[in-house]
Amino acid sequence: AQAEKLGSVRATAVRGVIAMKRNPPNPDEARRLLTVAADHGDATAMSYLAQLAGLDDPDEALRWLGKAAEAGDADAMFTLGQEKVQRRPPDMTGARQLWENAAHHGHTKAMIEMAVMLQNANPPQRDAALEWWRQAADAGDSEAMAYLGVVQYRQGDLAGALHWQELGAKAGNPESMFLLAGMLAEGNPRDLAGSVHWYKQAAELGDTNAMVNLGAELAFECEPADWAAGQAWVERAARLGHPTGMY
């Protein structure tokens, strides 16, 4: 019976979200359904009610976010943490408590906020910060993967750096793609084909530094050279404002 009740509450919440997101949206119906679900303890419904309140009623939005956070919604915890940082003066203690709780609930962006906060502490808590970066990376966050790759590179652990940058690149992180391409180009032995591949992936995502490096590799390092393709990438970087590509 309890499972059936929970299923009914969740179904009501889902109907509310659908009413909120349909085209055109039906905010009144969404609010009615989400309120029913929220009154039965559904944290997702509470979070969406906060979104509905939005700019029209900030106090109501914060009230529902608070309820969602208390009910275990990690996104609500993270958002409330951001709100506390934006206060004047900022409530960094409150933000840290919320982000740490969200991080323990598996929220990767909260893990990164914790890492950055610990890095910037006085004195810096680098080991604790690095552990949060690792947890975020292990949970699939590509920004954390890129960061760990840089840390490993600076420590002289090239294999570790390659590992994290490759994971980040495959997860779609442009910074990882760019850094991995550079490491492959400078490796021993060099992997020029791999470097060209990852510079191209980053370039296609708009990275102008990758466009210039890709152009140089195609024109001057690949065999056979592809002058036309190399020039095209450098010119594309120039059109996007890269200074090297303008000369």
Side-chain angles (χ1 to χ4, degrees), residues 12 15-16 27-37 49 52:
T12 302
R15 288 167 56 207
D28 292 336
E29 178 69 359
R31 187 174 291 105
R32 184 185 71 79
L33 291 165
L34 291 170
T35 300
V36 170
L49 281 168
L52 272 175

Side-chain angles (χ1 to χ4, degrees), residues 165-194:
Q165 298 302 4
E166 186 172 7
L167 286 178
K170 289 180 177 178
N173 185 279
E175 182 183 4
S176 280
M177 294 173 188
F178 180 82
L179 294 173
L180 177 60
M183 293 181 70
L184 293 172
E186 297 169 3
N188 185 15
R190 296 185 74 201
D191 181 359
L192 187 58

Side-chain angles (χ1 to χ4, degrees), residues 130 133 146-157 161 165:
L130 193 60
W133 281 114
Y147 178 84
L148 286 175
V150 171
V151 170
Q152 301 286 68
Y153 185 84
R154 289 173 178 170
Q155 292 175 345
D157 182 358
Q165 298 302 4

Side-chain angles (χ1 to χ4, degrees), residues 107-121:
H107 197 289
T108 58
K109 295 305 179 187
M111 296 175 191
I112 290 175
E113 291 292 354
M114 283 299 302
V116 172
M117 185 175 283
L118 290 167
Q119 285 173 186
N120 294 333

Side-chain angles (χ1 to χ4, degrees), residues 3-20:
E4 184 177 345
K5 179 181 178 182
L6 288 173
S8 177
V9 170
R10 176 45 56 95
T12 302
V14 170
R15 288 167 56 207
V17 173
I18 291 171
M20 180 178 169

Side-chain angles (χ1 to χ4, degrees), residues 185-205:
E186 297 169 3
N188 185 15
R190 296 185 74 201
D191 181 359
L192 187 58
S195 180
V196 166
H197 170 78
W198 286 115
Y199 274 141
K200 186 175 182 182
Q201 294 295 311
E204 288 175 345
L205 291 174

Side-chain angles (χ1 to χ4, degrees), residues 14-102:
V14 170
R15 288 167 56 207
V17 173
I18 291 171
M20 180 178 169
K21 293 183 176 292
R22 70 168 50 133
N23 188 15
N26 187 339
D28 292 336
E29 178 69 359
R31 187 174 291 105
R32 184 185 71 79
L33 291 165
L34 291 170
T35 300
V36 170
D39 287 343
H40 284 82
D42 189 280
T44 300
M46 298 172 191
S47 185
Y48 275 103
L49 281 168
Q51 290 185 38
L52 272 175
L55 296 175
D56 293 334
D57 193 343
D59 291 337
E60 180 72 358
L62 286 174
R63 184 176 78 84
W64 280 116
L65 275 176
K67 285 181 172 290
E70 289 171 5
D73 188 289
D75 285 332
M77 298 173 197
F78 180 73
T79 302
L80 279 175
Q82 289 179 308
E83 187 274 333
K84 288 185 180 292
V85 169
Q86 292 166 3
R87 292 181 182 178
R88 292 295 177 265
D91 179 4
M92 302 306 294
T93 300
R96 175 171 177 167
Q97 290 173 346
L98 286 159
W99 283 339
E100 188 166 11
N101 200 6

